[in-house]
């Protein structure tokens, strides 16, 4: 029923979104402040997210963890429990207003029920979280490594627990207020609490360009809600392969830093690829690590730089040239395209999918 009823309005999604936000902001003007200044960029982001969640989470019990962390994460947007009812009401009203005569009262009930189950799980997650909704962190170093890439370090004002390989939400309020994006710290948790980020400015990217081109030492950013499961299993005795594309190196370096603290027995291979050598922005440090730790080897590749002295081609093809890899743990991180092609390659090489963890920058 949820899919059937959505299909009645799907064609007019833009209008439904316009109505949805207008409905919310007219009834509760204060809620406008929760959303980004430029709503056109984000158009339908929240509406799309809710519709997708309601339709795909047919069995919300299976998605309990996801929904709890989504609710916990929503606290960074300043979402309060009473807002859920407002948004749920606006969602159903805006669909009904655009569906025409085919809309039935049973659809109202189906959406209300599904939304209520999801909202209850998100609220439970938010309530159970002992952490603050976000942390302020001061920029203590900022270095441009290439035209489009910056490496910067921040110091959160309060301790922040995360696991190596996880990612955090980041907002740069001075430049792009209320726009949050996820970035992976490039270090394991440290005693001094600092976090290092590797960011690449993508095309017309709002947040990444601000972080690369405008952020300065002394600025405050906000970080929130460590998430993600690309972490090390300390019990695993298998050798490990890390495949990173561009700034996908960040979580890989975080995992390597954790390994340097305890690993004595596992061979670790890092494959680091980029379009050209300028984008292999952290090679010096990777080579330093490889020189220091005998269990670590590094292979680099460029796909668009014919005179580069390392490997040539896409990193997924380069990984396939080495091996065999059937007994290894894999960690893959980078753009959606790079992650997809690597996963496809690994499937061809018969690496069992349970041994592969990955983070894709754009799903
Ligand atoms: C789990 C996870 C971890 C991440 N970790 C990192 C990290 O450590 N370092 C890092 O640099 N990025 C990382 N990202 C990507 C980051 O979250 C943003 O998506 C990216 O910085 C673009 O945000 P933006 O606001 O600048 O672009 P937006 O304003 O959101 O997008 C602007 C335009 O660029 C396009 N676009 C968005 N992302 C990409 C992309 N990756 N490649 C090409 N085009 C794109 C969009 O389609 C849109 O047209 C991570 C993403 C995820 C999901
Ligand atoms: C069933 C309930 C809800 C679901 C499934 C849901 C889901 C989502 C998802 C998946 C995102 C994108 C997250 C991201 O990009 O980081 C999002 C963003 C957001 N949500 Fe929700 N949400 C719900 C309820 C609410 C409510 C009640 C509010 C309160 C007003 C709210 C406010 C926001 C805001 C402000 C954003 C950021 C939007 C933007 O950047 O344009 N959400 N939501």
């Amino acid at each position: 029923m949820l899919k059937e009823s959505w299909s009645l309005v799907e064609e007019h999604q833009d209008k439904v979104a316009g109505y949805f936000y207008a409905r919310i902001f007219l009834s509760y003007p204060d809620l406008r402040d929760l959303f980004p200044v430029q709503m056109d960029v984000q158009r339908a982001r929240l509406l799309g997210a809710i519709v997708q969640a309601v339709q795909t989470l047919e069995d919300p019990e299976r998605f309990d963890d996801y929904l709890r962390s989504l609710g916990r994460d929503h606290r960074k947007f300043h979402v309060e429990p009473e807002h859920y009812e407002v948004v749920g009401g606006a969602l159903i009203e805006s669909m009904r207003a655009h569906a025409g005569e085919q809309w039935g009262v049973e659809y109202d009930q189906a959406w209300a029920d599904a939304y209520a189950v999801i909202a209850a799980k998100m609220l439970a997650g938010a309530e159970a979280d002992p952490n603050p909704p976000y942390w302020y962190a001061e920029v203590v170093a900022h270095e441009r490594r290439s035209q489009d890439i910056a490496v910067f370090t921040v110091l959160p004002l309060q301790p922040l627990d995360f696991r190596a390989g996880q990612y955090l939400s980041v907002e740069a309020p001075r430049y792009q207020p209320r726009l949050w994006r996820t970035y992976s710290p490039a270090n394991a948790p440290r005693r001094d609490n600092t976090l290092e980020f590797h960011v690449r400015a993508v095309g017309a990217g709002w947040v990444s360009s601000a972080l690369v081109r405008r952020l300065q030492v002394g600025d405050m950013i906000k970080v929130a809600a460590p998430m993600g499961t690309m972490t090390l299993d300390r019990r695993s005795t298998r050798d490990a392969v890390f495949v990173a594309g561009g700034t996908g190196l960040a979580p890989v370096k975080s995992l390597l830093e954790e390994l340097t603290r305890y690993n004595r027995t596992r061979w670790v291979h890092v494959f680091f690829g980029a379009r050209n050598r300028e984008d292999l922005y952290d090679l010096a440090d990777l080579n330093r690590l490889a020189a220091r730790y005998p269990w670590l080897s590094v292979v680099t590749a460029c796909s668009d730089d014919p005179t580069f002295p390392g490997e040539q081609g896409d990193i997924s093809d380069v990984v396939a040239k080495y091996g065999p890899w059937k007994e290894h743990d894999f960690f893959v991180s980078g753009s959606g395209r790079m992650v997809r092609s690597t996963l496809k390659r690994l499937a061809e090489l018969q690496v069992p999918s349970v041994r592969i963890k990955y983070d894709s920058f754009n799903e």
Side-chain angles (χ1 to χ4, degrees), residues 41-42 45 148-150 165-168 176 179-186 196-212 227-228 246-251 275 281 333-336 358-363:
V41 185
Q42 299 282 305
R45 195 172 165 122
D148 297 327
I149 296 176
Q166 285 194 304
Y167 51 87
L168 300 167
Q176 295 294 356
L179 284 184
W180 292 83
R181 300 287 184 266
T182 42
Y183 296 95
S184 316
E196 180 182 300
F197 291 102
H198 297 182
V199 177
R200 178 192 181 83
V202 299
W206 288 72
V207 177
S208 61
S209 338
L211 294 176
V212 171
M227 276 182 285
T247 46
L249 184 65
R275 248 168 272 163
Y281 63 94
S333 161
S335 70
Y358 63 92
D359 268 349
S360 162
F361 281 8
N362 27 8
E363 290 91 319

Side-chain angles (χ1 to χ4, degrees), residues 35-36 42 45-46 49 74 77 79 83-84 87 115 118 122:
F35 290 83
Q42 299 282 305
R45 195 172 165 122
L46 170 61
H74 264 60
F77 299 132
V79 173
H83 298 155
Y84 280 84
V87 167
Y115 181 87
I118 289 173
M122 288 174 66

Side-chain angles (χ1 to χ4, degrees), residues 9 13 33 59 76 119 138 208 217 228 248 269 280 288 307 312:
V9 295
Q13 249 183 81
D33 289 344
D59 176 6
K76 76 185 182 209
E138 185 183 348
S208 61
V217 169
H269 310 269
L280 295 174
R288 185 188 60 78
T307 58
Q312 292 286 334

Side-chain angles (χ1 to χ4, degrees), residues 149 272-274 276-284 300-302 308:
I149 296 176
F272 178 33
N276 52 51
R277 69 188 80 186
E278 208 201 8
D279 286 350
L280 295 174
Y281 63 94
D282 206 33
L283 202 48
T300 48
C302 284
F308 176 65

Side-chain angles (χ1 to χ4, degrees), residues 62-100:
R62 274 185 53 217
F63 292 91
D64 198 52
D65 284 348
Y66 167 74
L67 290 170
R68 288 177 73 89
S69 74
L70 188 63
R72 184 194 62 165
D73 191 39
H74 264 60
R75 295 184 312 143
K76 76 185 182 209
F77 299 132
H78 300 272
V79 173
E80 299 292 340
E82 59 272 22
H83 298 155
Y84 280 84
E85 207 179 316
V86 181
V87 167
L91 167 76
I92 297 170
E93 258 185 60
S94 52
M95 283 190 294
R96 193 194 305 127
H98 289 85

Side-chain angles (χ1 to χ4, degrees), residues 85-258:
E85 207 179 316
V86 181
V87 167
L91 167 76
I92 297 170
E93 258 185 60
S94 52
M95 283 190 294
R96 193 194 305 127
H98 289 85
E101 282 165 12
Q102 282 162 289
W103 189 266
V105 66
E106 68 279 16
Y107 294 150
D108 282 334
Q109 197 59 52
W111 280 89
D113 290 349
Y115 181 87
V117 175
I118 289 173
K121 289 193 177 295
M122 288 174 66
L123 278 164
E127 203 170 310
D129 187 15
N131 286 314
Y134 50 80
W135 287 255
Y136 279 102
E138 185 183 348
V139 180
V140 294
H142 188 281
E143 190 188 342
R144 284 285 283 278
R145 290 280 178 91
S146 78
Q147 180 93 345
D148 297 327
I149 296 176
V151 169
F152 61 90
T153 307
V154 302
L155 177 62
L157 304 188
Q158 291 163 282
L160 188 166
D161 281 336
F162 70 102
R163 287 197 59 192
Q166 285 194 304
Y167 51 87
L168 300 167
S169 282
V170 172
E171 183 200 359
R174 183 170 171 199
Y175 306 105
Q176 295 294 356
R178 288 168 262 158
L179 284 184
W180 292 83
R181 300 287 184 266
T182 42
Y183 296 95
S184 316
N187 57 282
R190 291 174 176 161
R191 276 212 193 115
D192 71 1
N193 215 17
T194 54
L195 303 167
E196 180 182 300
F197 291 102
H198 297 182
V199 177
R200 178 192 181 83
V202 299
W206 288 72
V207 177
S208 61
S209 338
L211 294 176
V212 171
R213 306 207 165 96
R214 301 175 71 193
L215 196 71
Q216 300 168 15
V217 169
D219 281 344
M220 282 288 178
I221 64 167
K222 290 183 195 166
V223 291
M227 276 182 285
T229 51
M230 199 173 73
T231 51
L232 286 170
D233 175 2
R234 282 208 178 202
R235 290 159 311 174
S236 172
T237 51
R238 274 188 287 275
D239 295 337
V241 182
F242 295 94
V243 190
T247 46
L249 184 65
V252 166
K253 281 199 75 186
S254 169
L255 294 165
L256 283 177
E257 191 170 312
E258 180 167 325

